[in-house]
């Protein structure tokens, strides 16, 4: 299946994407699409013969729990609606807790790395098989960027991906920007990962921008693609001709001519690497898998992921073996992203609070982990402000009250809401 050169379709740049020359296909975030109708822009692209691939972000196939049937059904419905040749997701966990750990469910609001252990691989493979059985088209999984490393890992990234493909037959979506991110943040050589993973299983490739701050690479998807990322693309192309390559941009969208320039840089990189001598592959022997392992991989994975996520979003002590400084960086990044997304799904909050929005939300998030989606998070934030008598400006408080009433109920939160907040705080052990 040859996809060609594509770009991530986002509503903010829909017109620009339609006008860009040489676009063979686009990728759309699955959770941002309805299951029964498409945005007009995607309808027009499909009528022109442009392939649309849904890219999921919420399944959490690397999590300890089995995939949610409702989320799988939604992804399958979007695949049918789009007539797509495949769907994609991530090798990540996005939530933890719940009955297996006798703790509240916590949502990360972000893709977090799974430990590269045999336990985590067993869980991931079973989850992938469940997803494959529920989807009408093949599934491809993406390697993610990470700020933190798990202690006691038993496989490299390339070995982990190779074992996953061997056991499940799943395709791979290789993000070269994420390989670069993990090189900066975790000291992992992209060339080694490319040597170890089965490049013949690649369905397509992501290219995206980021920025380095204080020695940490942030995979922002809001900055231009850098030369080091294109260098990793060169390394990949020297090993295999990928069926598709896609430019991702999720925020701070530049003018259309800048997007066209980045696409041309990708085309030029692929063309130059295609003319170079083929890279010799070094496929090391796979690691020896331990013999019979004790049952309970899901329970052990659940405990480990819950401890990590709780440290990141609920302020509990950091699990042994983690870099505390990096955990702090990741925790702040999660809170910042949460504030940004809530501002996008509920822009009225940022408008009502003005310059004080971000500071107020980060204070709220400090001891109130997200346990549902961002829209529920926005309501929870508004409730907390109103219960505490904020904003101080009476006119702003009236506006916030009306906003809350329109979305949550006829009356602003009073004593009952205080009791709910108290119970929620007690459950979280705060």
């Amino acid at each position: 299946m040859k996809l060609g050169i594509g770009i991530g379709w986002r509503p903010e740049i829909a017109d620009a994407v339609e006008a860009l020359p040489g676009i063979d296909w686009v990728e759309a975030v699955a959770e941002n699409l309805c299951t029964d109708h498409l945005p007009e822009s995607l309808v027009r692209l499909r009528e022109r013969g442009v392939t649309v691939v849904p890219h999921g972000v919420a399944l959490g196939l690397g999590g300890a729990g089995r995939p949610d049937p409702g989320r799988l059904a939604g992804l399958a419905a979007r695949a049918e609606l789009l007539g797509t040749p495949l769907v994609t997701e991530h090798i990540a966990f996005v939530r933890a807790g719940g009955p297996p750990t006798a703790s509240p469910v916590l949502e990360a609001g972000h893709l977090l790395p799974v430990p590269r252990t045999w336990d985590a691989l067993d869980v991931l493979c079973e989850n992938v098989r469940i997803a494959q059985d529920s989807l009408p088209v093949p599934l491809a999984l993406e390697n993610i960027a990470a700020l933190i490393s798990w202690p006691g890992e038993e496989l490299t990234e390339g070995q982990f991906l190779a074992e996953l493909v061997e056991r499940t037959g799943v395709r791979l979506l290789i993000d070269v920007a994420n390989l670069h991110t993990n090189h900066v943040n975790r000291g992992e050589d992209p060339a080694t990962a490319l040597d170890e993973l089965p490049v013949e299983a690649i369905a397509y490739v992501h290219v995206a921008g980021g920025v380095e701050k204080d020695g940490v690479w942030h995979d922002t998807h809001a900055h231009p693609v850098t030369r080091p990322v294109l260098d990793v693309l060169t390394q990949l192309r020297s090993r295999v001709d990928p069926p598709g390559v896609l430019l991702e941009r999720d925020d701070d969208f530049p003018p259309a001519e800048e997007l066209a320039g980045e696409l041309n840089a990708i085309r030029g990189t692929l063309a130059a690497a295609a003319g170079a001598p083929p890279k010799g592959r070094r496929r090391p022997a796979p690691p020896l898998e331990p013999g019979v392992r004790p049952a309970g991989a899901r329970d052990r994975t659940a405990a480990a992921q819950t401890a990590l996520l709780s440290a990141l979003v609920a302020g509990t002590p950091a699990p042994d073996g983690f870099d505390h400084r990096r955990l702090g960086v990741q925790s702040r990044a999660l809170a910042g992203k949460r504030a940004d997304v809530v501002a996008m799904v509920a822009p009225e909050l940022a408008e009502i609070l003005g310059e004080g929005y971000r500071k107020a939300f980060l204070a709220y998030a400090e001891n109130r982990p997200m346990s549902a989606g961002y829209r529920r998070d926005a309501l929870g934030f508004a409730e907390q402000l109103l219960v505490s008598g904020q904003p101080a400006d009476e006119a702003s408080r009236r506006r916030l009250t009306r906003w809350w009433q329109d979305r949550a109920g006829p009356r602003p939160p009073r004593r009952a809401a205080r009791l709910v907040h108290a119970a929620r705080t007690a459950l979280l052990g705060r």
Side-chain angles (χ1 to χ4, degrees), residues 3 22 53 102 116 147 187 263 284 287 296 309 317 331 336 339 361 376 419 430:
L3 289 169
V53 173
R116 298 172 192 149
L147 288 170
L263 287 164
L309 186 51
S331 180
F361 187 88
R376 177 61 251 182
L419 293 175
R430 298 296 297 173

Side-chain angles (χ1 to χ4, degrees), residues 306-396:
T306 301
L308 173 60
L309 186 51
S310 182
L312 291 173
V313 302
T316 58
D320 291 341
F322 281 95
D323 182 323
H324 286 218
R325 186 182 73 85
R326 282 295 175 87
L327 285 182
V329 173
Q330 179 71 84
S331 180
R332 290 189 293 275
L334 290 177
K337 178 177 180 179
R338 188 175 161 192
D340 291 341
V341 177
V342 166
M344 284 192 290
V345 302
E348 301 88 350
L349 294 180
E351 180 189 345
I352 292 169
L353 298 175
E355 293 182 358
Y357 163 76
R358 192 172 185 83
K359 181 179 179 181
F361 187 88
L362 292 178
Y364 159 79
E366 255 183 42
N367 57 10
R368 290 176 178 82
M370 188 163 62
S371 59
Y374 285 109
R375 297 187 188 281
R376 177 61 251 182
D377 207 22
L379 284 171
F381 173 50
E383 287 175 11
Q384 188 271 336
L385 289 175
L386 292 171
V387 165
S388 60
Q390 298 180 62
D393 176 69
E394 186 175 344
S396 297

Side-chain angles (χ1 to χ4, degrees), residues 34-349:
C34 296
T35 58
D36 57 356
H37 70 277
L38 296 174
E40 290 300 318
S41 174
L42 289 182
V43 172
R44 289 191 293 269
L45 286 169
R46 291 190 67 235
E47 288 173 347
R48 283 167 37 189
V50 175
T51 297
V52 183
V53 173
H55 185 51
V57 297
L59 271 182
L61 291 174
R66 290 175 175 81
D68 178 77
R71 293 183 188 276
L72 282 174
L75 188 56
R78 293 171 175 93
E80 297 276 14
L81 183 65
L82 289 165
T84 185
L86 80 164
V87 297
T88 58
E89 247 287 352
H90 298 82
I91 301 169
F93 78 100
V94 298
R95 62 188 63 86
T101 60
S103 63
V105 173
L106 300 175
E107 291 280 347
H110 189 65
L111 304 165
L112 293 176
V114 301
R116 298 172 192 149
T117 61
W118 295 109
D119 267 358
L121 181 64
D122 288 345
V123 172
L124 174 63
C125 288
E126 184 180 352
N127 288 348
V128 168
R129 294 187 195 102
I130 293 170
Q132 288 171 319
D133 289 344
S134 303
L135 296 170
V137 293
L139 171 68
L141 295 182
E142 179 180 352
N143 59 304
I144 71 161
L147 288 170
I148 54 178
S149 298
W150 284 84
E153 292 193 318
E154 299 164 321
L155 301 97
T156 65
E157 178 154 38
Q159 291 169 340
F160 194 85
L161 295 177
E163 287 286 327
L164 173 65
V165 170
E166 176 69 23
R167 294 190 191 188
T168 65
V170 75
R171 305 295 301 281
L172 296 177
L173 192 182
I174 295 300
D175 190 315
V176 293
N178 291 349
L179 291 178
H180 172 68
T181 301
N182 293 343
H183 172 62
V184 176
N185 293 348
R186 308 205 287 189
E188 299 171 354
D189 182 11
T192 299
L194 291 171
D195 281 341
E196 292 177 340
L197 64 85
V199 294
E200 64 277 3
I202 293 176
Y204 63 88
V205 174
H206 273 174
V207 182
V211 64
E212 187 171 349
K213 295 179 182 178
D214 301 323
V216 175
W217 186 268
H218 296 269
D219 179 49
T220 63
H221 292 195
H223 292 81
V225 176
T226 62
R227 173 47 54 184
V229 170
L230 292 176
D231 289 343
V232 180
L233 179 62
T234 296
Q235 294 181 54
L236 185 147
R237 179 61 185 89
S238 71
R239 291 162 170 81
V240 69
D241 182 9
V245 179
L246 180 129
L247 173 66
E248 277 194 300
R249 188 75 177 232
D250 291 326
D251 202 359
D252 198 14
F253 300 102
E257 53 268 24
E258 289 187 30
L259 293 173
E262 292 200 279
L263 287 164
N264 286 335
I266 290 171
R267 293 185 182 99
T269 299
L270 293 169
K279 170 80 174 177
R281 297 296 311 285
R282 178 180 59 83
R283 289 295 297 273
L288 292 175
E289 184 170 354
V292 177
R293 297 193 299 282
R298 282 195 184 273
D299 290 341
R300 292 189 294 274
T301 301
Q305 291 180 347
T306 301
L308 173 60
L309 186 51
S310 182
L312 291 173
V313 302
T316 58
D320 291 341
F322 281 95
D323 182 323
H324 286 218
R325 186 182 73 85
R326 282 295 175 87
L327 285 182
V329 173
Q330 179 71 84
S331 180
R332 290 189 293 275
L334 290 177
K337 178 177 180 179
R338 188 175 161 192
D340 291 341
V341 177
V342 166
M344 284 192 290
V345 302
E348 301 88 350
L349 294 180

